[in-house]
Amino acid sequence: MGTITKSVDVQADVSAVYNQWTQFTDFPRFMEGVDRIEQRDETHTHWTVTIAGITKEFDATITEQHPDERVAWKSDTGPNHAGVVTVHRIDDSHTRVTVQMDIDPEGFVENVADKLGVLDRRVQGDLDRFKTFLENRDGNETGAWRGDVDRPAQHGG
């Protein structure tokens, strides 16, 4: 597993940025290689992605979600990955979006020499396109889901 951490500053308030990030079905509009996302219920999504000419499908679960703060997920099937997106208020009209992903690059990209590097650049590109997408809408999100999803209880031994 490798870790990717990327950030971008968006000219929009923290609520608009967070709200847009909860609109998973809009991800193909700014995420390279994401063909389709189905929102199955409040915490389950089904993804269809194409990377390096190979189409894969997988399910993911939202493991934690708190309005204007964070959305965390983990894969249930397909390529092994998990991550968290956090939004941080810089001022009334600027928000920093940070993505941290733990990912098995072998599961996402085959036959590429620098697999983690390819994914690293793709995540930054996706964030840059997210910024452009929201700023071109004058900071107006396409929708919102403001519910909370609490982190699963940790079972100690």
Side-chain angles (χ1 to χ4, degrees), residues 5-8 84-88 96-100 127:
T5 303
K6 294 292 178 186
S7 296
V8 70
V84 62
V85 173
T86 55
V87 292
H88 300 279
R96 179 162 295 140
V97 180
T98 302
V99 174
Q100 182 175 348
L127 279 174

Side-chain angles (χ1 to χ4, degrees), residues 27-41:
F27 281 16
R29 296 169 76 176
F30 56 84
M31 286 190 171
E32 181 184 353
V34 175
D35 302 324
R36 184 169 185 235
I37 300 175
E38 296 171 46
Q39 180 88 40
R40 298 217 161 138
D41 60 31

Side-chain angles (χ1 to χ4, degrees), residues 21-28 37 39 45 47 62 65 71:
W21 203 270
T22 66
Q23 300 306 293
F24 301 110
T25 58
D26 282 336
F27 281 16
I37 300 175
Q39 180 88 40
T45 55
W47 295 59
I62 305 302
Q65 188 164 341
V71 177

Side-chain angles (χ1 to χ4, degrees), residues 1 5 12 16 18 26 33 40 44 49-50 79 89 91 98 102 120 122 127 131 135-136 143 147 149:
M1 292 286 270
T5 303
Y18 172 85
D26 282 336
R40 298 217 161 138
H44 296 94
V49 299
T50 302
R89 179 187 181 278
D91 60 32
T98 302
D102 292 322
D120 190 76
R122 180 166 284 187
L127 279 174
K131 168 186 171 71
E135 288 178 354
N136 284 347
V149 176

Side-chain angles (χ1 to χ4, degrees), residues 97-111:
V97 180
T98 302
V99 174
Q100 182 175 348
M101 291 177 62
D102 292 322
I103 193 163
D104 169 14
E106 296 289 337
F108 272 94
V109 183
E110 282 106 13
N111 304 317

Side-chain angles (χ1 to χ4, degrees), residues 43-47 58-62 73-77 81:
T43 60
H44 296 94
T45 55
H46 181 79
W47 295 59
F58 63 89
D59 294 318
T61 296
I62 305 302
W73 75 91
K74 68 173 183 60
S75 60
D76 299 321
T77 61
H81 68 284

